[in-house]
Amino acid sequence: MKVKKVRQKSLNSPRGKRVAKRKKEDLSKLTTEEFFGQNFETDSDACDDGEEDKNIDDEDNEQMDSENSEDDEQIDSDSSEGDLDPAEHKKSLMRLKDTDPEFYKYLKENDKNLLDFRVSDDEDDDNSSINDDRHVPNENLEVASDESDFEPEEAEGDSKKKITLKLLKTWQQNIQTDKSIITIKCAVDAFHAALDSVAALPDTTTEYKVDGSAAFNGVMQLCIMYLPDAFKRFLKLDPESQEVHKSKRFGKIRVILKLYLSDLIKLLQSVASSSILTVLLKHLRQMLPYTRSFSSLTKPLLRILIKFWSTAEETVRVTAFLNILHIATKKESVLEKLLKTMYVKYVQNTKFVSPNTLPGINFMKHSLIEIYLLDHDVSYNHAFLYIRQLAINLRNAITLKKKENFQAVYNWQYINSLRFWTELITKSKDKSMLRSLLYPLVQIIVGTIKVIPTAQYYPLRFHCIEMLLAISKETGTFIPILPFLLEILDTYDFNKRHKAVTMKPIPLICILRMSKSQLAENGFKDSIIETVYQFILENAANESHKIYFPDVYIPCIVQLKAFLKKCHVAAYCKKIKQLLNMIEENRKYIETERTKITVDLKNTAEITNWENRMKTDGTEIAKFYASWIKIHKSQVLKLLTKNEEEINVPVRLPKKQKLDERDAEDSEEESELEFRLKGTESETERKKSLNKAKKRKKNKEKKTTNNIEDEDLPREDTDIVQDINSDDWG
């Protein structure tokens, strides 16, 4: 049936029409006798028609007829067998494109299904040996041919060796025992390829290819765990040796070592996980001896380490600082640049102080002090310039009295800078050059207190007093601190009724300026009394063994008694009276001990020995303060952690045995205080009018200062780092 269809279609084709036309032309030339003498055949004689077609084709084109006859014979033979080979049939149809283009075009236009004859997958497998040199005109076949041509070229161009877990395991075994450079080079190249696999612009010259997270992690683990020992083994270094460049084999491994250190720095810059950063920084600590041989890597390495030290998570900060300290200790040439950069970073990160940021600020302060104490001479130059700049800002605030000048002083960056230089100088040695900056620093702190001496800035005053107390205690220098505390008791009206009630005391450790709403709360007065009590007690405890204690604290005793007379709040009077009793008792004790010896004021050594003996024996007020401060610090910690349950627990202060044994006179004074608290309204109004008159007089004298009182200082956009530039200082 297939053969008949093919022949019928061939008769309807242009070729068949052309043959029929040619027959008509031949018949027109015949005579009547010749015409009737012809043997006419029916359409059913297919074989004769095939012969006529063959004779006509021989006249037109012998080659084309021979090929068609071969096709017909092939088709006949296939049909006689009953099974037509699809591949051969397809080839015969495709040959029509070359042998008879017009007929092929006709088939393409009228019977496209015949040309789209598809061979099954099984038949393709059986005929896989067919010559592929011929181009099949089918569009689908052409696309498949293009893809197959491209794939081998891509495979040939990708010559990188893929990293597998099996290969990494082999390297891990070899790198622990191999003393050559081969395995080290393979590990470093694989590390470089691993970074390129995640880089935005990968390096096309890498020898290896890392695909997948398993291979990436395997390469990282191999290098971190085994490369440091492998480098030591190859260079034949001692366990404590730091002179890597002096090894005879350093020239052979120099390029590989620099490549690995550079990639390690790049990896540190791109990692965000704190746990991974901690591991990498610990590994970097092992590789730091090798960085000394490459000065070009020191600057980018310190830049990323300082970033971690100032902004990262706590564990990362500590690990980064250990690396910085090692570099600064072993490489003195970078110390000067390091001091300036780290100090500026410290100031930038102290702009805002809160319970959350305070631990990080304290860590930066203490770690930076360790760096500055490495070289006192270099540190002195930086300290002199920065303290001088703080003094310039203070001078501008006092003389110019403009808003921006006040803001340059009354902010957290300025206070934290003073605190840093205070701790640095107190921790330096007695004969250090840094001790020569003690006097100007104390003058700056005292001047800062006096810029705006109002109740709104009592917290800032307390921060400055705390610094002065630390300097006096650590250096043994006498600083007149009591006047700044007694001034508060003398000028502030603690009898004034509060407009708001709060159950929580106000923690002043993270505050510089009180708001108007906080000034109206009862918690403000409670915090003021508590802080004044703490600082007077601390100062008295620090100087309780001094030979001059009875003379220096006479004004303090007088002013404390004056405060008790004018204060009507029983809780405040009770606390100040307890403080007064301890000071008077210590004064009597020192006077008694002082009369037992003959004091020669010119013999300072004898006086020092006597004071040391008194300090060793211990005074009652010093013992009381040691026990009280522990309870106070725990209370402050509870306030900062906002633990309400622990905050409301009443704090029981330690009491001396002599204070517990109150006599009748003390009980009478307490009853008198309670009576005075319930005093007549006329007496209270009279005192209020006197206080108002005093305040009006002070307001006239300090008009400019009071205009600044309501200002919101400091502003959030104030940044004194802009002023800290050593290039501008002459």
Side-chain angles (χ1 to χ4, degrees):
M1 295 297 294
K2 292 182 180 180
V3 176
K4 281 187 176 182
K5 288 181 180 180
V6 172
R7 288 185 175 179
Q8 288 176 1
K9 290 181 180 180
S10 64
L11 292 175
N12 295 329
S13 64
R15 177 174 175 271
K17 293 179 181 180
R18 189 171 62 253
V19 172
K21 184 179 180 182
R22 192 172 296 173
K23 287 183 178 181
K24 291 179 181 180
E25 292 177 355
D26 295 337
L27 290 175
S28 64
K29 296 179 182 180
L30 297 176
T31 60
T32 304
E33 293 81 8
E34 293 175 346
F35 177 78
F36 286 105
Q38 295 288 332
N39 293 326
F40 296 96
E41 298 175 347
T42 60
D43 295 335
S44 61
D45 297 330
C47 294
D48 295 337
D49 290 340
E51 292 179 356
E52 290 178 359
D53 294 340
K54 184 178 181 181
N55 293 332
I56 295 171
D57 292 336
D58 288 337
E59 295 175 358
D60 296 330
N61 192 345
E62 294 179 356
Q63 183 178 0
M64 184 175 60
D65 287 341
S66 62
E67 292 176 355
N68 289 335
S69 63
E70 291 176 359
D71 293 338
D72 292 339
E73 291 174 0
Q74 181 69 31
I75 294 172
D76 292 338
S77 62
D78 294 337
S79 62
S80 63
E81 293 175 0
D83 292 329
L84 181 62
D85 188 0
E88 293 295 330
H89 181 58
K90 184 177 180 181
K91 289 170 59 179
S92 63
L93 291 176
M94 292 303 104
R95 279 199 296 269
L96 289 175
K97 185 176 181 180
D98 298 327
T99 58
D100 194 350
E102 294 181 358
F103 183 62
Y104 178 81
K105 182 178 180 182
Y106 174 81
L107 291 178
K108 188 175 182 180
E109 293 175 355
N110 295 278
D111 197 356
K112 193 174 183 180
N113 293 331
L114 181 64
L115 296 178
D116 290 338
F117 185 83
R118 298 185 180 274
V119 183
S120 63
D121 296 337
D122 296 334
E123 293 169 345
D124 285 341
D125 296 336
D126 296 337
N127 298 283
S128 59
S129 61
I130 297 176
N131 189 3
D132 293 332
D133 294 337
R134 299 178 181 178
H135 296 281
V136 182
N138 191 301
E139 295 178 358
N140 295 331
L141 295 176
E142 289 177 357
V143 173
S145 176
D146 292 342
E147 291 178 353
S148 61
D149 292 339
F150 178 76
E151 287 176 357
E153 295 176 1
E154 185 181 24
E156 292 176 0
D158 189 6
S159 60
K160 296 181 179 180
K161 187 175 181 180
K162 187 175 181 180
I163 300 294
T164 61
L165 297 179
K166 183 178 180 181
L167 181 60
L168 290 174
K169 188 174 181 180
T170 304
W171 285 351
Q172 179 179 337
Q173 295 175 354
N174 295 337
I175 203 171
Q176 298 181 55
T177 57
D178 190 9
K179 296 183 179 180
S180 64
I181 200 176
I182 299 175
T183 312
I184 295 176
K185 186 179 185 305
C186 293
V188 172
D189 290 342
F191 188 84
H192 186 68
L195 291 185
D196 287 334
S197 64
V198 295
L201 298 175
D203 187 3
T204 57
T205 61
T206 55
E207 182 180 355
Y208 297 99
K209 183 179 181 181
V210 178
D211 288 334
S213 59
F216 186 90
N217 294 336
V219 172
M220 296 294 126
Q221 184 178 359
L222 174 68
C223 295
I224 291 173
M225 295 182 64
Y226 300 104
L227 267 184
D229 293 335
F231 283 128
K232 285 184 179 180
R233 193 182 304 110
F234 178 78
L235 295 172
K236 296 182 179 180
L237 297 175
D238 297 331
E240 299 180 357
S241 177
Q242 302 293 334
E243 302 294 333
V244 178
H245 59 279
K246 292 184 179 181
S247 175
K248 296 180 180 179
R249 293 187 172 186
F250 180 74
K252 298 180 181 179
I253 206 172
R254 177 184 177 87
V255 178
I256 300 174
L257 192 57
K258 186 175 182 180
L259 175 63
Y260 180 70
L261 292 173
S262 302
D263 289 339
L264 184 58
I265 295 173
K266 292 179 183 178
L267 182 62
L268 287 170
Q269 294 174 346
S270 58
V271 174
S273 174
S274 299
S275 58
I276 298 177
L277 276 176
T278 304
V279 175
L280 291 176
L281 289 172
K282 290 180 179 178
H283 173 61
L284 176 64
R285 176 64 180 82
Q286 296 176 305
M287 300 299 298
L288 282 181
Y290 305 104
T291 59
R292 297 179 60 190
S293 304
F294 306 100
S295 57
S296 60
L297 299 178
T298 304
K299 186 175 180 179
L301 179 59
L302 284 175
R303 186 184 299 114
I304 187 67
L305 289 176
I306 291 174
K307 179 183 177 182
F308 292 150
W309 169 75
S310 59
T311 59
E313 188 264 340
E314 182 180 0
T315 307
V316 179
R317 281 187 170 196
V318 175
T319 315
F321 172 71
L322 293 177
N323 285 275
I324 294 173
L325 183 61
H326 184 273
I327 295 174
T329 305
K330 302 298 180 181
K331 201 166 187 176
E332 298 179 356
S333 59
V334 302
L335 183 59
E336 187 169 358
K337 181 68 176 178
L338 190 63
L339 294 177
K340 179 180 178 180
T341 307
M342 292 183 71
Y343 177 73
V344 172
K345 282 291 182 181
Y346 165 76
V347 176
Q348 289 175 347
N349 284 274
T350 58
K351 192 172 184 179
F352 303 101
V353 176
S354 66
N356 295 328
T357 61
L358 189 59
I361 293 173
N362 289 333
F363 167 75
M364 293 181 67
K365 177 178 60 181
H366 296 146
S367 57
L368 184 57
I369 289 172
E370 295 295 327
I371 299 293
Y372 267 81
L373 291 177
L374 292 176
D375 192 330
H376 290 243
D377 295 337
V378 177
S379 300
Y380 172 81
N381 297 330
H382 288 269
F384 178 83
L385 291 175
Y386 291 131
I387 292 176
R388 180 175 180 267
Q389 183 62 43
L390 295 175
I392 292 173
N393 292 342
L394 178 62
R395 182 192 62 187
N396 294 336
I398 295 174
T399 56
L400 300 179
K401 295 183 179 181
K402 294 182 179 179
K403 181 179 178 180
E404 57 270 16
N405 301 123
F406 286 113
Q407 289 172 345
V409 174
Y410 275 40
N411 61 73
W412 273 118
Q413 289 178 320
Y414 192 91
I415 297 301
N416 282 314
S417 297
L418 290 176
R419 194 180 293 275
F420 168 76
W421 297 119
T422 297
E423 293 199 21
L424 175 63
I425 293 175
T426 54
K427 289 185 178 181
S428 61
K429 299 178 181 179
D430 294 337
K431 297 181 180 180
S432 173
M433 293 183 64
L434 292 171
R435 283 295 178 94
S436 62
L437 299 173
L438 183 62
Y439 179 77
L441 180 63
V442 171
Q443 292 299 107
I444 293 173
I445 296 173
V446 172
T448 304
I449 296 175
K450 296 179 179 180
V451 173
I452 308 179
T454 59
Q456 201 171 19
Y457 291 99
Y458 279 168
L460 184 141
R461 172 183 296 217
F462 292 144
H463 285 291
C464 293
I465 292 174
E466 186 178 5
M467 290 183 251
L468 295 176
L469 283 170
I471 294 174
S472 177
K473 180 180 179 180
E474 298 296 331
T475 62
T477 305
F478 174 77
I479 301 174
I481 301 171
L482 291 176
F484 303 113
L485 295 170
L486 297 174
E487 181 185 0
I488 297 174
L489 299 178
D490 185 42
T491 58
Y492 189 78
D493 184 12
F494 289 92
N495 297 322
K496 182 172 57 177
R497 291 184 178 180
H498 47 266
K499 298 180 181 179
V501 178
T502 177
M503 298 301 295
K504 299 179 184 179
I506 301 175
L508 303 179
I509 191 171
C510 297
I511 298 176
L512 286 183
R513 172 187 176 274
M514 305 297 295
S515 62
K516 291 183 178 180
S517 60
Q518 289 174 327
L519 290 173
E521 295 178 358
N522 64 324
F524 171 70
K525 293 188 291 184
D526 295 342
S527 300
I528 295 299
I529 287 292
E530 183 72 19
T531 308
V532 171
Y533 173 86
Q534 174 192 347
F535 287 152
I536 294 178
L537 178 61
E538 181 180 358
N539 190 69
N542 294 337
E543 298 181 341
S544 61
H545 63 282
K546 297 291 185 180
I547 199 170
Y548 56 76
F549 184 89
D551 306 309
V552 170
Y553 275 81
I554 288 177
C556 177
I557 294 172
V558 172
Q559 287 188 272
L560 289 179
K561 288 181 178 180
F563 174 80
L564 292 174
K565 289 181 180 180
K566 69 178 182 180
C567 181
H568 299 163
V569 183
Y572 301 160
C573 292
K574 183 178 179 180
K575 186 173 282 291
I576 297 301
K577 184 173 179 57
Q578 182 190 30
L579 179 63
L580 177 61
N581 290 337
M582 286 188 291
I583 293 175
E584 285 186 330
E585 183 180 345
N586 191 78
R587 180 182 67 84
K588 294 177 182 178
Y589 172 72
I590 295 297
E591 283 183 343
T592 303
E593 294 295 326
R594 196 169 61 180
T595 56
K596 295 179 181 180
I597 62 170
T598 303
V599 180
D600 185 6
L601 298 179
K602 295 182 180 179
N603 192 352
T604 56
E606 184 181 355
I607 295 175
T608 304
N609 293 333
W610 182 85
E611 290 178 347
N612 292 335
R613 186 173 67 254
M614 296 296 296
K615 184 177 182 181
T616 304
D617 296 339
T619 58
E620 291 297 327
I621 193 171
K623 294 176 182 178
F624 175 80
Y625 173 76
S627 58
W628 178 88
I629 195 62
K630 293 180 181 179
I631 300 174
H632 177 74
K633 287 182 178 179
S634 64
Q635 186 180 18
V636 172
L637 182 61
K638 292 171 187 177
L639 289 173
L640 293 177
T641 54
K642 300 179 180 180
N643 191 337
E644 296 183 1
E645 296 180 358
E646 295 182 353
I647 287 175
N648 295 328
V649 174
V651 179
R652 295 181 179 178
L653 297 178
K655 297 182 179 180
K656 298 189 302 177
Q657 185 176 3
K658 294 183 179 180
L659 291 176
D660 292 336
E661 299 174 355
R662 296 182 178 274
D663 52 6
E665 182 180 355
D666 294 338
S667 60
E668 291 178 1
E669 289 180 357
E670 288 183 1
S671 60
E672 183 182 357
L673 288 174
E674 293 177 0
F675 175 77
R676 286 166 56 187
L677 186 60
K678 301 177 183 178
T680 58
E681 294 181 359
S682 59
E683 183 180 0
T684 304
E685 291 176 357
R686 181 177 58 82
K687 290 185 177 181
K688 285 184 178 180
S689 61
L690 292 175
N691 290 333
K692 288 182 180 179
K694 291 180 180 179
K695 287 183 179 180
R696 290 194 197 98
K697 186 177 181 181
K698 290 181 179 179
N699 289 339
K700 291 180 181 180
E701 295 175 353
K702 301 179 180 180
K703 185 177 181 181
T704 307
T705 303
N706 289 334
N707 291 335
I708 305 298
E709 182 178 356
D710 295 332
E711 301 284 351
D712 290 333
L713 300 176
R715 294 187 310 175
E716 293 185 356
D717 57 349
T718 304
D719 194 348
I720 68 169
V721 180
Q722 299 173 358
D723 298 328
I724 300 178
N725 188 355
S726 59
D727 298 334
D728 299 335
W729 301 335

